[in-house]
Amino acid sequence: MRSSWSEICAIKNLSYSDIKGPLFLMLCIGCAFAITVIKYITSLGQCKLQYCWEDEDEEYCPRVPERWFGRTLMAVTIEELYRNYGILADAKPEDLSQHKDAYQVILDGVKGGPKEKRLAAQFIPKFFSSFPELADAAINAQLDLCEDEDVSIRRQAIKELPRFAAGENIVRVADILTQLLQTEDSAEFNQVNTALVSIFKMDAKATLGGLFSQILQGEDIVRERAIKFLSIKLKTMPEDAMTKEVEDYIFTETKKVLEDVTGEEFVLLMRILMVLKGLQTMSGRQQLVELVVEQAFLEQALNPADPDTVDRLLQCTRQALPLFSKNVHSTRFVTYFCDHVLPNLSSLTSPVAELDIQLEVLKLLAEMSPFCGDMEKVETNLTMLFEKLLEFMPLPPEAEGENGENTLSDEPKLQFSYVECLLFSFHQLGKKLPDFLIDKINAERLKDFKIRLQYFARGLQVYIRQLRVALQGKTGDALKTEENKIKVVALKITNNINVLIKDLFHNPPSYKSTVTLSWKPVQKAEAVALKRPSGEDMGAGSTMKKQLSPPLPRRDARQIYNPPSGKYSATIGNFSNEQRGGFRGGRGRGFGGRGRGRIY
């Protein structure tokens, strides 16, 4: 049982007066201890709070609408913002750091209403450099405004972001701006572009660091727009910003990106590299060719049934074409086409439904052939071209009607566009082995080849005459109609073939004539469709007989008769070095485990 105080006192023979003093003393000590504990806990809370506001670590200490322990955060008013701005504006530069509280009030303005936010967006960057200890808090505050729901506030905040780009902050600001490229608001997007260009002029390499960081690790939409930004804006940057160090950095980082790209990205990245001065030299262009060779997988056999593989080869070849010259050779590409593409020409799977894949491949080969260097297998490659040429150059038909007239239903179709490409490629590579048609082809095959050539040549003359008549007298807008455009290009095709056939009929065959491929840009001096045909162009009548005629076949040989009505492709003028589609199925070399989410 519990004993009362009186019982305890009786037992101990103590009076109440004897214990009153000690009890009061104990009570005082207890109160003092409690007060001390409360103060200690409060100080701990204030320390932790101060750490939270300065460190801005959202996971450990998220931002809160009120400050604890006597530091209540009330909504900052317009008047308070102006008053504290005045304090900072009136202070001497060397005394600004003493007004940290005033700057903190301005930072708190991001939690206010629309008007307060717009003022904060302007005031925060103005005094940013004077408070390095609040740099993170200031950037985060401005970043909050860049993500505000009000688009006018976002634009104001983005406009001011370049003012934070100093020293180590440039990379961070560039990274933030790159992520902001994903906006769907056109005015805001233009503001981001302007801001990026602005900081690029301050420090090109640091800005590129932020851009490439997002290209390599950012979201797909950010990566795509960052690459497009560089492909468009890089060529407009001032020369003093594009130093050798900057160009070397771009080349190094772009090589990393090329390890995992889509077809569209590959084209854009090649555009970026082609504007670099250091890569416009012979050695620079050779480096670019090596990059394209890696992407083209020329060490692997071609799978003609896989549209992605075919597409990759086409796109890489298109990007390599502008780089080739008499000193930067196309030998590896030409060899690959002769070894792997021509044998599978008829079985190639087009990556784009409306694309004539066979004609596209032959055009690429023709464009590359003038820049081919020494080849290990010249005879083998010429033989492949020769065999493929025979496929597209028909023999004259043997059948005749009852009255000795042509049987039109049996007339072969002359595929002028294909033959132009193959003849041109054969003519270019033939220069490397001029005696190919004399020593490497037996007499019977050579005779057969010349019969085909003559039959084709006579068909050409019909078309040349018809086309010139159709275009005679047409000028200006009349030549710009779709029908006449096709006729102009068709005339170029037939003239080119005519010139090349004449060379091959020389004894021995000649490879000296020069022609411009029909799909190449028309030179200003050319008025091919308007001039009267010369004897050389027409090649008809006595000129045809004298210059283009081997001995006519004997009576028991195949009878050459009136040439057929041939066809030329309606897409003959549509060739372009641009891509048609992408490296489908992902980024070509597989997907890298790139990070996701905001990484400001």
Side-chain angles (χ1 to χ4, degrees):
M1 295 178 63
R2 295 182 179 179
S3 300
S4 65
W5 277 106
S6 56
E7 291 175 334
I8 293 173
C9 290
I11 294 171
K12 298 295 184 179
N13 196 25
L14 295 173
S15 66
Y16 179 76
S17 58
D18 293 325
I19 63 171
K20 182 170 60 174
L23 280 174
F24 180 78
L25 180 61
M26 289 174 62
L27 181 61
C28 291
I29 293 173
C31 291
F33 179 78
I35 292 172
T36 303
V37 170
I38 291 172
K39 285 185 177 181
Y40 178 74
I41 293 174
T42 302
S43 65
L44 284 179
Q46 289 175 331
C47 290
K48 179 177 179 182
L49 180 67
Q50 183 67 21
Y51 171 81
C52 295
W53 280 87
E54 290 185 357
D55 188 71
E56 294 294 334
D57 186 340
E58 293 189 7
E59 292 185 3
Y60 175 74
C61 182
R63 300 173 189 171
V64 290
E66 294 88 25
R67 295 184 184 176
W68 304 336
F69 306 108
R71 295 183 62 194
T72 303
L73 176 62
M74 304 298 292
V76 177
T77 63
I78 293 289
E79 292 74 15
E80 288 178 303
L81 286 173
Y82 275 119
R83 184 172 62 253
N84 286 278
Y85 173 83
I87 293 172
L88 296 175
D90 294 339
K92 295 180 180 179
E94 60 271 18
D95 297 333
L96 269 175
S97 59
Q98 301 174 14
H99 302 286
K100 182 177 176 181
D101 289 342
Y103 190 61
Q104 182 65 61
V105 172
I106 292 175
L107 294 182
D108 294 342
V110 302
K111 302 298 182 182
K115 293 181 180 179
E116 289 79 8
K117 289 178 179 180
R118 275 191 283 273
L119 276 180
Q122 300 174 57
F123 293 169
I124 291 173
K126 184 172 180 65
F127 302 103
F128 169 74
S129 59
S130 300
F131 300 96
E133 68 276 17
L134 293 176
D136 285 344
I139 293 177
N140 283 332
Q142 194 77 5
L143 183 55
D144 284 343
L145 298 176
C146 291
E147 296 177 335
D148 196 84
E149 294 180 357
D150 188 330
V151 66
S152 63
I153 293 174
R154 295 202 305 269
R155 292 176 192 169
Q156 180 66 47
I158 291 169
K159 179 182 178 181
E160 303 292 341
L161 267 181
R163 300 178 70 173
F164 293 86
E168 297 178 355
N169 291 322
I170 293 185
V171 175
R172 183 179 179 187
V173 172
D175 190 284
I176 293 170
L177 285 169
T178 305
Q179 294 184 63
L180 292 173
L181 285 171
Q182 63 188 296
T183 179
E184 298 302 327
D185 181 86
S186 58
E188 187 177 345
F189 180 80
N190 292 334
Q191 191 73 63
V192 175
N193 274 263
T194 301
L196 274 171
V197 170
S198 175
I199 66 171
F200 192 101
K201 294 175 181 178
M202 298 179 195
D203 190 329
K205 187 175 179 180
T207 304
L208 288 166
L211 281 160
F212 276 108
S213 172
Q214 285 300 313
I215 290 173
L216 289 167
Q217 301 176 15
E219 295 284 350
D220 286 345
I221 182 65
V222 175
R223 172 189 173 100
E224 174 190 335
R225 294 187 179 181
I227 292 175
K228 285 183 178 178
F229 171 84
L230 286 175
S231 69
I232 295 171
K233 298 294 185 181
L234 207 57
K235 57 190 175 186
T236 66
M237 295 300 174
E239 291 186 9
D240 58 347
M242 299 297 292
T243 63
K244 184 180 184 303
E245 181 185 7
V246 170
E247 290 197 352
D248 289 345
Y249 181 76
I250 293 172
F251 184 69
T252 301
E253 293 301 305
T254 302
K255 285 176 68 176
K256 296 177 185 177
V257 181
L258 282 170
E259 293 177 2
D260 180 19
V261 292
T262 65
E264 183 180 1
E265 289 172 347
F266 173 65
V267 172
L268 294 175
L269 290 167
M270 289 303 298
R271 286 181 185 171
I272 291 171
L273 294 178
M274 287 180 182
V275 303
L276 302 182
K277 279 189 175 181
L279 295 178
Q280 292 175 8
T281 62
M282 186 183 73
S283 60
R285 283 185 284 114
Q286 188 62 56
Q287 288 184 69
L288 291 178
V289 170
E290 296 299 328
L291 277 181
V292 179
V293 167
E294 290 179 12
Q295 289 291 318
F297 293 168
L298 297 185
E299 74 280 359
Q300 298 180 9
L302 178 70
N303 179 4
D306 181 11
D308 293 337
T309 302
V310 175
D311 189 37
R312 175 183 290 273
L313 178 63
L314 293 181
Q315 291 199 47
C316 289
T317 307
R318 291 185 191 115
Q319 295 308 307
L321 271 174
L323 303 171
F324 296 139
S325 67
K326 63 179 181 179
N327 295 316
V328 180
H329 296 149
S330 60
T331 311
R332 278 179 288 182
F333 280 92
V334 173
T335 300
Y336 189 85
F337 271 57
C338 291
D339 288 346
H340 298 281
V341 182
L342 290 182
N344 298 297
L345 188 63
S346 60
S347 58
L348 290 175
T349 304
S350 176
V352 182
E354 66 274 11
L355 178 66
D356 184 343
I357 186 65
Q358 294 187 51
L359 182 58
E360 185 79 354
V361 164
L362 294 178
K363 284 182 174 181
L364 289 171
L365 177 59
E367 283 223 59
M368 291 189 293
S369 57
F371 310 112
C372 184
D374 296 333
M375 305 178 79
E376 294 180 3
K377 304 180 294 181
V378 179
E379 183 179 341
T380 303
N381 293 336
L382 273 171
T383 301
M384 174 54 63
L385 276 169
F386 180 80
E387 296 293 341
K388 195 57 63 176
L389 187 56
L390 291 179
E391 291 182 21
F392 291 95
M393 299 194 73
L395 284 166
E398 299 178 8
E400 292 186 353
E402 295 179 0
N403 300 322
E405 297 178 353
N406 299 339
T407 306
L408 297 178
S409 60
D410 294 329
E411 288 180 359
K413 293 180 180 180
L414 305 183
Q415 296 174 296
F416 295 119
S417 298
Y418 292 74
V419 172
E420 179 196 18
C421 298
L422 286 165
L423 263 181
F424 184 86
S425 300
F426 183 83
H427 191 269
Q428 293 296 320
L429 296 189
K431 297 175 182 178
K432 302 181 183 302
L433 193 61
D435 61 350
F436 176 79
L437 288 176
I438 301 173
D439 297 339
K440 308 302 180 182
I441 301 295
N442 62 51
E444 190 63 30
R445 295 201 71 191
L446 181 58
K447 178 182 175 182
D448 176 78
F449 181 53
K450 287 193 173 183
I451 290 173
R452 294 171 188 265
L453 282 178
Q454 189 178 36
Y455 176 70
F456 206 94
R458 290 199 173 185
L460 283 174
Q461 309 317 310
V462 175
Y463 282 105
I464 290 175
R465 285 192 294 269
Q466 292 175 351
L467 289 167
R468 288 202 175 275
V469 169
L471 294 171
Q472 187 67 38
K474 289 185 171 61
T475 59
D477 292 338
L479 288 174
K480 294 179 181 179
T481 65
E482 196 61 33
E483 180 182 357
N484 285 333
K485 283 181 181 178
I486 292 176
K487 288 178 180 178
V488 169
V489 179
L491 185 58
K492 292 184 67 177
I493 292 174
T494 50
N495 280 329
N496 285 346
I497 297 174
N498 193 42
V499 172
L500 296 173
I501 287 178
K502 287 180 187 178
D503 256 16
L504 297 181
F505 263 126
H506 284 140
N507 192 12
S510 171
Y511 301 95
K512 295 180 180 179
S513 295
T514 301
V515 298
T516 300
L517 291 165
S518 59
W519 61 88
K520 300 292 285 182
V522 178
Q523 301 298 320
K524 291 183 179 180
E526 282 191 49
V528 121
L530 305 178
K531 296 194 305 186
R532 291 277 304 172
S534 64
E536 182 179 353
D537 290 333
M538 288 288 290
S542 60
T543 306
M544 179 69 185
K545 292 179 182 176
K546 291 178 182 177
Q547 297 185 7
L548 191 60
S549 58
L552 289 175
R554 302 186 307 274
R555 289 181 180 275
D556 59 347
R558 292 187 179 92
Q559 182 69 30
I560 296 180
Y561 69 107
N562 193 30
S565 56
K567 299 288 182 183
Y568 46 82
S569 170
T571 60
I572 48 184
N574 295 340
F575 179 77
S576 169
N577 285 341
E578 297 300 323
Q579 67 165 34
R580 290 181 174 88
F583 290 0
R584 296 178 299 168
R587 293 210 170 98
R589 296 185 178 229
F591 292 90
R594 299 202 316 277
R596 290 290 184 268
R598 169 175 160 179
I599 52 173
Y600 299 125

